Amino acid sequence: MRRRMLMFVWMLCGIAMFSWGQSDGKKEPKLLVDSCFFAEMPSELQGASYRMSFLKSDDGRMLLLVTGIKLSEKSKEYAIPLSEVKDADYWLEKAKENKQFLSIKDRTPKLALKEGERIKPFSVQATDGTRWTDSNTQGRPLVLNFWYTGCGPCIREMPELNGWMDTCPDVNYLAVTWNTPEQIKKIVERRGFRFHQVAGDSVLWRMFGVQQTPTTVVLDKQGVVRKLVIGTSQQKRDELLEAIRQVSGEKH
């Protein structure tokens, strides 16, 4: 049961970011957290301890119930409105009746660098031949997006990440992968990914100790880490963009 539950949580972390199940014009959420329905994991669950359980309807539909955690009002803004949820009252009542829970401590891997720490000396070369170092990136904020070709969520989020470059143009944007330039070429072209591509990387990957993708890092103009996010969701991407705005001085 424990293995099955953890596998389900892992699957939820990688669900398609731009859609969720719909039936008869109503949406079928993936999670019920703090009496709110979601298509994606709220940010508060990362690194937190909580309890969870499967809820199953008579017709075989499943929902993950998470309890023991209080969501912020900001996170609740990403909830699906009750009026749009298929069988919302049914699921809420089923949650009240549920008695079987599994206690979970989120095991999202820790990165080697933490928020507030300065990036170490580095020198990497992008596929366009541009060399990027800790020295020549200072004076402008730096965004690092770690990804690889087998990461579906990484690939799906690329068009939205491109929009950051339009919103905050005075920022250096590097996409970092251990895949070779040849391996990433078709994906980058198909998705129109505009970040500078640092392929075949081991320097930045090891420096940050990246174990899960996507991982995105926001550094200020002095090279200090201001935001670290593992995984992706609309809430996480919005939080990252807000951090980029802050370090770049870009207003809404």
Side-chain angles (χ1 to χ4, degrees):
M1 176 64 179
R2 179 177 176 84
R3 179 179 296 179
R4 213 175 137 215
M5 189 77 75
L6 292 174
M7 286 179 66
F8 190 71
V9 173
W10 180 259
M11 289 168 61
L12 282 170
C13 292
I15 59 176
M17 298 181 295
F18 306 114
S19 64
W20 47 77
Q22 297 194 31
S23 178
D24 301 327
K26 294 282 189 175
K27 297 166 183 171
E28 297 197 34
K30 301 288 192 298
L31 307 98
L32 176 56
V33 187
D34 197 10
S35 299
C36 298
F37 293 95
F38 293 89
E40 300 178 307
M41 284 276 194
S43 292
E44 274 95 340
L45 269 62
Q46 184 168 311
S49 297
Y50 49 86
R51 298 191 305 161
M52 64 184 187
S53 179
F54 284 113
L55 299 181
K56 187 174 182 179
S57 67
D58 295 336
D59 59 1
R61 289 175 292 145
M62 298 187 75
L63 185 71
L64 184 65
L65 172 64
V66 177
T67 63
I69 191 165
K70 186 73 173 176
L71 295 179
S72 66
E73 292 304 314
K74 189 67 176 178
S75 284
K76 290 181 179 180
E77 293 177 8
Y78 292 86
I80 305 170
L82 285 177
S83 60
E84 298 179 14
V85 175
K86 180 178 174 62
D87 298 328
D89 291 339
Y90 169 84
W91 287 118
L92 289 170
E93 190 61 34
K94 203 165 185 65
K96 291 179 183 178
E97 298 170 355
N98 185 73
K99 303 299 181 184
Q100 294 184 337
F101 288 96
L102 182 67
S103 295
I104 292 294
K105 169 64 177 176
D106 182 74
R107 299 299 182 185
T108 300
K110 302 292 185 182
L111 296 180
L113 285 181
K114 302 178 179 63
E115 292 180 5
E117 295 182 345
R118 188 180 302 276
I119 196 169
K120 299 174 183 177
F122 72 91
S123 178
V124 296
Q125 184 169 305
T127 55
D128 62 3
T130 306
R131 182 154 294 278
W132 299 90
T133 71
D134 55 300
S135 297
N136 68 18
T137 53
Q138 288 196 24
R140 294 181 70 176
L142 174 64
V143 173
L144 302 173
N145 175 247
F146 293 88
W147 72 286
Y148 81 104
T149 56
C151 173
C154 302
I155 296 169
R156 285 192 292 270
E157 74 173 357
M158 288 174 180
E160 185 170 345
L161 303 195
N162 284 338
W164 296 354
M165 302 178 72
D166 299 322
T167 303
C168 301
D170 296 325
V171 175
N172 293 320
Y173 294 91
L174 302 185
V176 186
T177 178
W178 48 260
N179 290 116
T180 66
E182 294 75 22
Q183 289 172 328
I184 70 171
K185 187 174 187 296
K186 288 185 178 180
I187 293 174
V188 171
E189 290 177 350
R190 175 164 51 87
R191 301 300 283 172
F193 198 15
R194 293 159 49 199
F195 281 29
H196 294 279
Q197 299 294 323
V198 179
D201 174 72
S202 60
V203 174
L204 292 170
W205 208 276
R206 280 203 296 256
M207 182 188 299
F208 283 90
V210 175
Q211 300 178 50
Q212 182 178 320
T213 57
T215 289
T216 307
V217 184
V218 178
L219 300 103
D220 64 19
K221 297 177 181 180
Q222 288 74 45
V224 176
V225 177
R226 294 304 178 192
K227 187 76 174 177
L228 289 167
V229 172
I230 299 174
T232 187
S233 67
Q234 190 59 60
Q235 181 179 2
K236 289 181 176 181
R237 294 190 298 278
D238 288 348
E239 290 171 352
L240 282 163
L241 180 54
E242 180 59 32
I244 296 169
R245 282 193 172 108
Q246 290 178 0
V247 297
S248 65
E250 196 72 36
K251 297 180 180 180
H252 287 272

